[in-house]
Amino acid sequence: MPAGQPHAHEAAAAACVGSGANHSNHRVPAHSPPPLPAEVVPAYPPPESEDDETWVWTQIKAEARRDADAEPALASFLYATVLFHLATLTAHPSLRAAVVADLLAAHSRDPACVGFSHCLLNYKGFLAIQAHRVAHVLWAQQRRPLALALQSRVADVFAVDIHPAAVVGKGILLDHATGVVIGETAVVGDNVSILHHVTLGGTGKAVGDRHPKIGDGVLIGAGATILGNVKIGAGAKIGAGSVVLIDVPARSTAVGNPARLIGGKKAEGANEEDMPGESMDHTSFIRQWSDYTI
């Protein structure tokens, strides 16, 4: 296909939206499914009732059908991109599980996320992470020129720059995502939440293993910069705008420029299993450790 020429399903979607034509002319089944009642598209999966992965893909299809019924102008796009193409994501089951964990993370942690299909199609932080997962597989397969080309394209489109060699866990939320940079030897654990303009970078002089290691359940606030091969312990919290150059112990907070450590005392009423990367609690340390009041 010549460069710049749209794929068939993209052209069909554009033609449908532009002309108002019935989407049955664009490879959509002649008999569209009936509208779905609200209870078919609940907000969260029933607890302890179904496997997360199966439930989420079923949920996405239900939401896409609902939205296609509600917005005929979007019907061709939704059928082409979701309802016709929710087969196996890749040949790697672990990647499929990571995608589902990322969808659940966005839906549960971001109050602006109105549904799984919305996240799947429109959330650039989610899309950037999934593109990185593909690039990481390519990197591991020694297909490095293609992996780097994908990295460059993702950076151009989403303003998120993640080196293909970086190791990223599952259940990741890039909230807003603009300006996120993750270096080559960085490691990000599971259930981590990262806000916009966060840098996991080197110090500019070291070589080799030179980027941060982020533990499970960490929350990194907007504009934070973590430099060097430092370790951020599980359940730690990095305040917005902080510059971190030293290790941060588990369950503690780092704030300021340069960052100072605050931590060691359990928050009143907090559960030992609570993780800031999942709770998205940015400000409890102020009440616990500071005389400053708003």
Side-chain angles (χ1 to χ4, degrees), residues 216-239:
D216 295 344
V218 169
L219 173 61
I220 306 178
T225 299
I226 307 174
L227 299 178
N229 188 14
V230 298
K231 295 177 174 59
I232 310 300
K237 189 183 304 185
I238 309 299

Side-chain angles (χ1 to χ4, degrees), residues 107-124:
H107 198 260
S108 64
R109 299 177 209 166
D110 184 356
C113 184
V114 299
F116 293 105
S117 61
H118 172 61
C119 177
L120 179 73
L121 296 173
N122 302 311
Y123 264 42
K124 71 175 186 177

Side-chain angles (χ1 to χ4, degrees), residues 39-173:
E39 59 268 19
V40 176
V41 191
Y44 293 95
E48 306 298 332
S49 63
E50 292 188 47
D51 173 75
D52 280 348
E53 189 170 329
T54 300
W55 186 90
V56 167
W57 296 125
T58 301
Q59 178 81 353
I60 289 170
K61 288 189 286 186
E63 291 174 359
R65 288 176 55 193
R66 176 201 61 193
D67 294 343
D69 288 334
E71 295 288 349
L74 291 176
S76 182
F77 168 71
L78 290 168
Y79 273 91
T81 56
V82 178
L83 297 175
F84 284 167
H85 298 290
L86 273 184
T88 302
L89 177 66
T90 68
H92 300 271
S94 61
L95 286 188
R96 292 199 305 272
V99 172
V100 170
D102 295 343
L103 282 168
L104 289 169
H107 198 260
S108 64
R109 299 177 209 166
D110 184 356
C113 184
V114 299
F116 293 105
S117 61
H118 172 61
C119 177
L120 179 73
L121 296 173
N122 302 311
Y123 264 42
K124 71 175 186 177
F126 170 81
L127 294 171
I129 285 290
Q130 307 325 311
H132 165 73
R133 296 193 190 286
V134 174
H136 186 68
V137 170
L138 294 171
W139 186 268
Q141 294 173 341
Q142 303 301 314
R143 301 174 67 185
R144 296 186 173 182
L146 181 55
L148 292 169
L150 183 55
Q151 174 198 4
S152 178
R153 183 59 178 161
V154 169
D156 184 43
V157 173
F158 299 127
V160 175
D161 192 355
I162 308 176
H163 193 283
V167 177
V168 177
K170 62 183 181 180
I172 305 300
L173 172 64

Side-chain angles (χ1 to χ4, degrees), residues 179-182 197-202 212 220 223-227:
V180 168
V181 176
I182 300 178
H197 291 292
V198 164
T199 297
L200 307 182
I220 306 178
T225 299
I226 307 174
L227 299 178

Side-chain angles (χ1 to χ4, degrees), residues 22-25 27-33 79 84:
N22 189 295
H23 63 263
S24 63
N25 295 329
R27 300 195 300 167
V28 176
H31 302 290
S32 298
Y79 273 91
F84 284 167

